[in-house]
Every structure is written in structure tokens, then in C-alpha cells.
């Protein structure tokens, strides 16, 4: 199920990143109604050169296809690597060069 | 899908918690009680084991009236040298929404979209380097509840 979109842009040594993870983010309540299994992203990290620049442990109460915006010190040309893992244990990694 | 099968699947999913190779802190594993706490106070207590003091050094941005409770944009900014940042609210079945781990020298300027099923209060707790807790709260109205997905 899905993927993610990453945008990262550097200005004056600060990288502004936007990440949209495509995920249903089904809460326990909503899943019960639909007769599906609850599933949501539980943990996500952003790394540049193997250094963690962003980390979030999340619950079911993020929106559907959650959007994450954040900033960190970095430079253009490096690669931002985002990884998330969901309740079912699915994990996705996506890389994007910082502009 | 019948109920029995559904419950069985849920159980299987709970058992199959994978061993993450990420060298990061997953608060869902280290502080499992945080995610099942029903109210904000006990959520904070479970996560940090202490009570925060209100601070005006944190900026919490959220709409006064959210038209869609399924995606409420929340922005947190602070100049405090933080170790972690946690978001709670008081209307969903459990109070914890997310916990950020702030990397060394990290900039706290986070925006995410959250779900709230009714009008309520968002509480943000910032843990600084010394382990002191700072918090800020904001009330907001939700026109359309977002928990039904």
C-alpha cells in the first residue's frame, strides 16, 4: 500500500522537508466499522548520511495520508532517506536528493 | 469477514511486532503505556513520569475551527533545545497522538496533520535537554469529527 512523496530544499544551511506518506491510517474504531484491520504508521525516521534528522513515533490519530513538515541543518546534494513502519510491520523506504 | 476472523487477525498483527533495525527510539516500544492512556495527564505521566509546567516559549499553531476533523494541521515551534516533543489531545479514545525525538542540534519546527473526533484541547509537551518539561495547550473546535475515517 503505497509509497511516499518527498520534497526537500536547502536554503542557508537549513533544509525544509515535506513528506507525504500514502497510508490509510485506519483507526481501531474506523477499522471495526469497515470490517478491516486497523493499520497505521507507528514510527518514521528521516536520515541524511545515516544520521537521523527526523523521528516520530505516531499513533492512529494522524490524518489519512499524513503530511509531515520539518526542518533540519543540511546541504543540497545529500540524500534524505525516509523510512516508515506500520502496525502490520510493513516498512517503506524512499530516498530523495536535497535540492 | 466474520468477527472471529477479524479478531484473530488483530491478534496475529499484535504478535508480529518486528525487530526494527533502526537505531532510533521507538516510543511505542519503550513507553507502551503512553499509547493506551485515556487522558492527557496519564499519557504524559506514562511517557515522562513527571508533570510539565506551562511555558510561553513554545508556539503551537492550529486552526481555531477545524472544518475537517480528519486532517487538522498542527504546527509546533520552539527555541528550547529539546530532546523530545509530544502531542496529546483530550477527545479521542486515547490521548497520545505522536512523539518526536529531536536529534542533536535539531530544529523544532514540525507540522503534521492529526485526527480529532470532536472539539477539544491539544496539549504539546516539550522535554528539554535537562529533562524539564514544558507544555502549551490550545482549544479548538472541530466541525466534523474525523475519527470515523
Amino acid at each position: 500500500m503505497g509509497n511516499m512523496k518527498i520534497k526537500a530544499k536547502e536554503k542557508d544551511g537549513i533544509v525544509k522537508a515535506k513528506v507525504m506518506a500514502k497510508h490509510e491510517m485506519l483507526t481501531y474504531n474506523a477499522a471495526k466499522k469497515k470490517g478491516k484491520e486497523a493499520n497505521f504508521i507507528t514510527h518514521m525516521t528521516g536520515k541524511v548520511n545515516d544520521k537521523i534528522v527526523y523521528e516520530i513515533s505516531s499513533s492512529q490519530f494522524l490524518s489519512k495520508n499524513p503530511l509531515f513538515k520539518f526542518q533540519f541543518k543540511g546541504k543540497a546534494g545529500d540524500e534524505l532517506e525516509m523510512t516508515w513502519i506500520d502496525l502490520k510491520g510493513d516498512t517503506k523506504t524512499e530516498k530523495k536528493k536535497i535540492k | 469477514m466474520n468477527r472471529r476472523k477479524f479478531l484473530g487477525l488483530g491478534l496475529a498483527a499484535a504478535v508480529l511486532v518486528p525487530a526494527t533495525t533502526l537505531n532510533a527510539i521507538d516510543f511505542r516500544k519503550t513507553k507502551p503505556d503512553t499509547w493506551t492512556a485515556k487522558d492527557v495527564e496519564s499519557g504524559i505521566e506514562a511517557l515522562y513520569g513527571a508533570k510539565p509546567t506551562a511555558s510561553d516559549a513554545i508556539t503551537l499553531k492550529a486552526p481555531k475551527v477545524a472544518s475537517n476533523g480528519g486532517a487538522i494541521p498542527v504546527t509546533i515551534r520552539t527555541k528550547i533545545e529539546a530532546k523530545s516533543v509530544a502531542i496529546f489531545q483530550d477527545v479521542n479514545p486515547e490521548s497520545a497522538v505522536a512523539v518526536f525525538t529531536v536529534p542533536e542540534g535539531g530544529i523544532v519546527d514540525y507540522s503534521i496533520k492529526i485526527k480529532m473526533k470532536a472539539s477539544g484541547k491539544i496539549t504539546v509537551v516539550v522535554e528539554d535537554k535537562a529533562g524539564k518539561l514544558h507544555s502549551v495547550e490550545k482549544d479548538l473546535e472541530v466541525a466534523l469529527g474525523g475519527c470515523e475515517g
Side-chain angles (χ1 to χ4, degrees), chain A residues 59-77:
Chain A
S59 76
Q60 48 182 329
F61 304 125
L62 297 186
S63 70
K64 186 180 172 185
N65 295 338
L67 180 71
F68 306 87
K69 276 197 255 178
F70 56 97
Q71 301 184 10
F72 58 91
K73 287 173 194 140
K75 63 177 196 296

Side-chain angles (χ1 to χ4, degrees), chain A residues 6-10 13-17 19 45-55 70-83 93-99, chain B residues 22-23 103:
Chain A
I6 304 174
K7 272 186 189 171
K9 209 169 179 186
E10 185 242 295
I14 306 284
V15 179
K16 284 190 183 173
V19 177
T45 50
K47 282 193 213 176
V48 176
N49 299 330
D50 275 333
K51 206 179 141 235
I52 291 174
V53 293
Y54 183 71
E55 185 179 1
F70 56 97
Q71 301 184 10
F72 58 91
K73 287 173 194 140
K75 63 177 196 296
D78 282 351
E79 257 187 343
L80 174 64
E81 185 186 317
M82 301 297 305
T83 306
T93 302
E94 193 82 29
K95 285 181 190 171
K96 182 91 182 192
K97 218 172 213 166
I98 298 164
K99 279 185 188 158
Chain B
L22 299 164
N23 52 345

Side-chain angles (χ1 to χ4, degrees), chain B residues 18-37:
Chain B
T20 24
T21 48
L22 299 164
N23 52 345
I25 316 159
D26 185 345
F27 281 102
R28 292 192 73 91
K29 292 205 188 73
T30 54
K31 306 274 181 189
D33 293 345
T34 309
W35 308 95
T36 52

Side-chain angles (χ1 to χ4, degrees), chain A residues 14 25 27 33-34 36 42-43 52-63 67-71 73, chain B residues 6 24-25 27-28 35 70 92 94 96-101 103 105 109-115 148:
Chain A
I14 306 284
M25 301 300 279
T27 64
K33 265 189 191 161
K34 289 184 180 173
K36 282 195 209 160
T42 56
H43 192 241
I52 291 174
V53 293
Y54 183 71
E55 185 179 1
I56 176 170
S57 308
S58 58
S59 76
Q60 48 182 329
F61 304 125
L62 297 186
S63 70
L67 180 71
F68 306 87
K69 276 197 255 178
F70 56 97
Q71 301 184 10
K73 287 173 194 140
Chain B
F6 168 66
I25 316 159
F27 281 102
R28 292 192 73 91
W35 308 95
N92 291 348
E94 290 91 30
V97 176
V99 182
F100 299 94
T101 311
D109 188 337
Y110 296 136
S111 301
I112 56 162
K113 289 190 172 176
I114 69 167
K115 277 190 273 215
E148 312 311 320

Side-chain angles (χ1 to χ4, degrees), chain B residues 71-110:
Chain B
I72 305 166
V74 176
T75 302
I76 304 150
R77 283 193 198 108
T78 183
K79 290 268 187 281
I80 298 170
E81 280 194 47
K83 224 158 77 182
S84 66
V85 177
I87 307 172
F88 297 92
Q89 47 64 47
D90 63 356
V91 288
N92 291 348
E94 290 91 30
S95 63
V97 176
V99 182
F100 299 94
T101 311
V102 183
E104 186 73 33
I107 301 161
V108 180
D109 188 337
Y110 296 136

